Amino acid sequence: MTQPTAAQNSQTSTAVQHPNLVPPHGSSELKPLLLTGDARTQALQLASTLPQITLSSRERGDLIMLGIGGFTPLDGFMNQADWQGVVDNMRLQTGANAGLFWPIPITLSAPKTIADTLNNGDKVALVAEDGEIMGLLTVEETYTIDKLHECQQVFTTTDSEHPGVQQVLSQDEVNIAGQVEVLSEGEFPTLYPETYKTPEQTRQLLTDKGWKTVAAFQTRNPMHRSHEYLAKIAIEICDGVLVHSLLGALKPGDIPAEVRQEAIKALIDNYFKADTVIQAGYPLDMRYAGPREALLHALFRQNYGCSHLIVGRDHAGVGDYYGAFDAQTIFEKLEKDDLLTQPLKIDWTFWCNACGAMASSKTCPHDASQHVKVSGTKLRKALSEDEEVPDNFSRPEVLDILRSYYASIALEERTEVKLVGASAL
């Protein structure tokens, strides 16, 4: 890809170094692409005169992550060679980042009618679906892709029922590659002022706490007892845990971010020792790519300063497309220096009636008949159908919040939650 502009270099040079934390991916410092001050004002004025490309929700989240440095060291949306290298070999192919590990393509699409009017070097405005100007892109290349090939490689399926496959198949016909200048973080700073944090803000917070080893806990669900157990295992190993919630778009039936944030806060306030957990959020949509998404989660958590990522059962999975622990074994295929953030692989966790406590397959000696296996899907299904939830599934303070949320939705308007794959066991 092309080299950063002077405005972007000026931001990069201000990145604060945090020597006790893992360095960003493929770089000694974060590389945010978000413009501020006069540079942003001038860019917005220019954008109003340019052709526009409307971003999908996923592309908008990716652009914001580029802006805040979450996708360091990328400087924009991938060209065809990088797309091909990432899809087939999880490697970037061009420029200063050639050979660098990257597990999922970060691409922008546009209708052919727009792409055919663009030449290399042209600038276009990147606009959200609500009309907000989110950024500028300098066109490097336009190209078409084999969408089914991307789906098979990234999601291991071309089934159109898979929500990630749906995202790719619904893209416009042509991909547009190029360096970006980001002009907005969207609604996230104002909608989630206490939890939304950029990588630099997160690194500063970790540094202020004196933490060196930090485990990220990825979640798109409210935390139930199994999640709580995973986080507490990590606290025994690391200085602290970053409960890092996805704040972008989910599939129908998942619980909205504001409800999850409230439920997670209640759990942390009541059941964790003070100053062992930080609750934060990031602006991406879920891709539901299972193993490959687990790798992306580890990669950008490295940019946020985390030394470890908790990887439990069915990480970033959906339905029955992935094996329960495929997201753990994929890390074994990486080369030694691909990622500095390492997985904390934890076996199937559950409540054991005989133990009278949370346990895992590695620690519990009792028969499976004594086990009450907890999953976010099972919890959502019970709550959405107004069923009783066993005490060993979730904490009462959390259940009160979730029940209140479901009570606000008419029964006939609730999305059906199906138990398939690992969530059904």
Side-chain angles (χ1 to χ4, degrees), residues 101 132 195 203 266 307 329:
F101 171 78
E132 182 185 8
T195 52
R203 284 174 167 268
S307 58
T329 58

Side-chain angles (χ1 to χ4, degrees), residues 33-34 40 44 47 53 55 59-61 63-64 125-136 180-188:
L33 307 176
L34 185 68
R40 180 178 181 274
L44 281 169
I53 294 175
L55 302 166
E59 291 165 346
R60 178 177 178 268
L63 180 69
I64 294 172
L126 305 179
V127 181
E129 292 175 345
D130 65 1
E132 182 185 8
I133 297 174
M134 300 295 299
L136 299 177
V180 298
E181 298 163 280
V182 184
L183 307 178
S184 173
E185 296 174 72
E187 74 282 6
F188 296 104

Side-chain angles (χ1 to χ4, degrees), residues 192 220 222 246 248 250 253-262 405-406 409:
Y192 308 105
R220 69 176 192 263
L246 176 137
L250 298 161
D254 284 350
I255 295 172
E258 58 272 17
V259 180
R260 283 183 276 122
Q261 299 289 287
E262 183 183 1
Y405 162 69
Y406 279 101
I409 307 172

Side-chain angles (χ1 to χ4, degrees), residues 283-330:
L284 286 183
D285 290 7
M286 277 298 297
R287 284 171 160 84
Y288 301 96
R292 285 249 196 161
E293 193 159 6
L295 296 175
L296 184 68
H297 286 164
L299 186 154
F300 71 73
R301 268 32 178 270
Q302 183 176 328
N303 289 332
Y304 277 86
C306 298
S307 58
H308 295 81
L309 173 71
I310 299 170
V311 185
R313 176 193 54 78
D314 198 32
H315 186 107
V318 62
D320 58 357
Y321 294 100
Y322 313 109
F325 294 100
D326 287 355
Q328 293 186 356
T329 58
I330 196 171

Side-chain angles (χ1 to χ4, degrees), residues 101-360:
F101 171 78
W102 200 279
I104 289 180
I106 307 300
T107 56
L108 170 70
S109 68
K112 188 174 186 299
T113 53
I114 293 177
D116 286 347
T117 68
L118 300 177
N119 298 306
N120 291 355
D122 288 350
K123 285 186 178 290
V124 294
L126 305 179
V127 181
E129 292 175 345
D130 65 1
E132 182 185 8
I133 297 174
M134 300 295 299
L136 299 177
L137 178 139
T138 303
V139 178
E140 175 190 336
E141 180 184 5
T142 63
Y143 62 99
T144 58
I145 64 168
D146 183 338
K147 294 181 181 179
L148 291 177
H149 179 67
E150 176 176 327
C151 291
Q152 186 61 50
Q153 292 295 99
V154 173
F155 304 107
T156 71
T157 181
T158 59
D159 184 356
S160 61
E161 293 298 310
H162 185 292
V165 172
Q166 290 175 13
Q167 289 178 346
V168 174
L169 296 183
S170 65
Q171 290 174 188
D172 287 315
E173 306 97 312
V174 182
N175 278 10
I176 313 294
Q179 181 181 339
V180 298
E181 298 163 280
V182 184
L183 307 178
S184 173
E185 296 174 72
E187 74 282 6
F188 296 104
T190 53
L191 196 58
Y192 308 105
E194 295 183 0
T195 52
Y196 172 76
K197 293 178 175 61
T198 68
E200 175 54 36
Q201 289 168 338
T202 306
R203 284 174 167 268
Q204 187 61 57
L205 184 56
L206 301 178
T207 296
D208 291 345
K209 285 185 173 294
W211 292 2
K212 297 180 181 179
T213 55
V214 184
F217 178 75
Q218 154 71 31
T219 184
R220 69 176 192 263
N221 288 307
M223 291 176 71
H224 50 64
R225 290 293 300 273
S226 185
H227 294 152
E228 177 188 337
Y229 185 60
L230 295 178
K232 286 179 175 176
I233 291 172
I235 290 170
E236 296 286 359
I237 299 169
C238 300
D239 294 330
V241 167
L242 177 72
V243 175
H244 211 203
S245 299
L246 176 137
L247 300 177
L250 298 161
K251 60 181 174 59
D254 284 350
I255 295 172
E258 58 272 17
V259 180
R260 283 183 276 122
Q261 299 289 287
E262 183 183 1
I264 290 169
K265 184 178 187 302
L267 181 71
I268 293 172
D269 288 348
N270 287 283
Y271 295 98
F272 284 85
K273 185 176 179 179
D275 294 323
T276 62
V277 181
I278 295 170
Q279 182 184 9
Y282 66 98
L284 286 183
D285 290 7
M286 277 298 297
R287 284 171 160 84
Y288 301 96
R292 285 249 196 161
E293 193 159 6
L295 296 175
L296 184 68
H297 286 164
L299 186 154
F300 71 73
R301 268 32 178 270
Q302 183 176 328
N303 289 332
Y304 277 86
C306 298
S307 58
H308 295 81
L309 173 71
I310 299 170
V311 185
R313 176 193 54 78
D314 198 32
H315 186 107
V318 62
D320 58 357
Y321 294 100
Y322 313 109
F325 294 100
D326 287 355
Q328 293 186 356
T329 58
I330 196 171
F331 282 87
E332 299 166 8
K333 302 176 182 179
L334 304 187
E335 296 183 9
K336 180 174 178 283
D337 295 326
D338 282 347
L339 284 174
L340 297 181
T341 295
Q342 294 298 302
L344 281 181
K345 301 178 183 179
I346 302 178
D347 211 323
W348 202 299
T349 57
F350 44 79
W351 175 271
C352 175
N353 288 324
C355 291
M358 295 298 301
S360 79

